[in-house]
Amino acid sequence: MDRIQEPDRDESDDATFERGTNQGGMRERNERVVLSLLRRNSDMAKADIARRTGLSAQTVARLIGSLEADGLILRGTPSRGRIGQPSVPLSLNPSGVVFLGMKVGRRSVEMVVIDFLGQIIDREKQIYDYPDFDKVLQFAKTSSKSLRARLPARLKPRIAGLGIAMPFFLWSWPEHIGVEAERMANWEYRDLETEIAEALGMPVFLQNDGTAACSAEMVFGENPLPANTLCFFIAFFIGGGLVLRNTLYTGSTGNAASFGPLNIPDRNGVSRPMIELASLAKLEEALVQNGVDAQQMWVDPENWDFPEDIVAEWTAQCAHAIAHAIQSTQAIVDLELVMIDGWMPRALCAEVTAQTRAHLATLDMTGMDRPDIATGTRGPDARVLGAASLPLSHRFLVQ
């Protein structure tokens, strides 16, 4: 595992957690196993780590010593009162390493810096009418420089990479964005990941934005996801991420579970692409048609002040569409849980979830189990957090 230099000198079930090995030559993997375990279970003693990972006490002691020397874990206050040596709780060091995450959307671009626990330290954001490739590239350069400059001196050398979350096929559907197709052409022929990596001189990773929102739920979520989970994220367009057998499934091109092009019936029974039924683009369009300034939608995802009847109509259509998408997906995938999240107020997201659950109960699911339906836990920041989780997962966690 790459070492992080100092400036001056998961899981909840033993049966599903990946175990380590005591054979030589596997130190890097074993370190990742320990770090992944501590991410889900803080304040663990060495003996508990050994039991959960299957590693010997001697191997765990060596790993802990190495990770502590690298500043990646912290020792807590020893727990006394037992026979023998006091138990020392171990946990991840929030300041052990930091990561950059950038979300490229159809109405805004945002970059954050997070600590080792996924807490956002700082952020920068820019709203636009459409994503111009060169302007997004320039934003990446200037924002990464500004965010680094504002970091405490001890954290500046601990930036371990940048992750990017963006819609794949970003050049598609320009008419829905309200821009000429030629202005989006650069997204088809240029490589943002490569150009940013060359400009910043650091490891850069790219993931579909809907998949990234699911990544955030896997890495930073409040509870481990069931083995087979579908995550919807409602933004300008709706997207998603798919977990199969405890592994994020991205497909052959990284665009699995995109959902936007999926044709499903609207409330009149007419088959239409899901982007026309369950995306914020349609809410924005309805607001503008009724003379409402929709700009606030992209400025602040929590404090919306829009006419209730317009939002209610969109909510009903969105939930109807997601329920039908779940019905179709369940016939193929056999999900245990569906999570719904998005760039919207938490109360509205909860309402979309509730209406989706209610509508799914009316659909014919003969021969299928009905998956649980829940609201996502990462909220509007899911995509940018998922982006920042990419270098974290690549360097420090078990895949």
Side-chain angles (χ1 to χ4, degrees), residues 213-252:
C214 190
S215 294
E217 200 68 60
M218 292 184 73
V219 178
F220 304 122
E222 295 175 359
N223 297 294
L225 296 180
N228 302 290
T229 299
L230 174 62
C231 301
F232 285 101
F233 192 87
I234 306 166
F236 188 88
F237 288 161
I238 189 169
L242 181 61
V243 179
L244 296 178
R245 299 178 66 184
N246 292 308
T247 300
L248 192 66
Y249 179 77
T250 59
S252 58

Side-chain angles (χ1 to χ4, degrees), residues 258-270:
S258 61
F259 280 101
L262 179 67
N263 280 278
I264 50 177
D266 64 14
R267 288 190 293 169
N268 295 317
V270 178

Side-chain angles (χ1 to χ4, degrees), residues 3 43 57 101 134-135 170 184 186 190 200 239 263 281 345 351:
R3 294 290 178 208
D43 296 328
D134 286 307
K135 291 180 179 179
L170 188 56
M184 299 295 292
N186 273 331
R190 291 172 65 180
L200 302 188
N263 280 278
E351 180 61 24

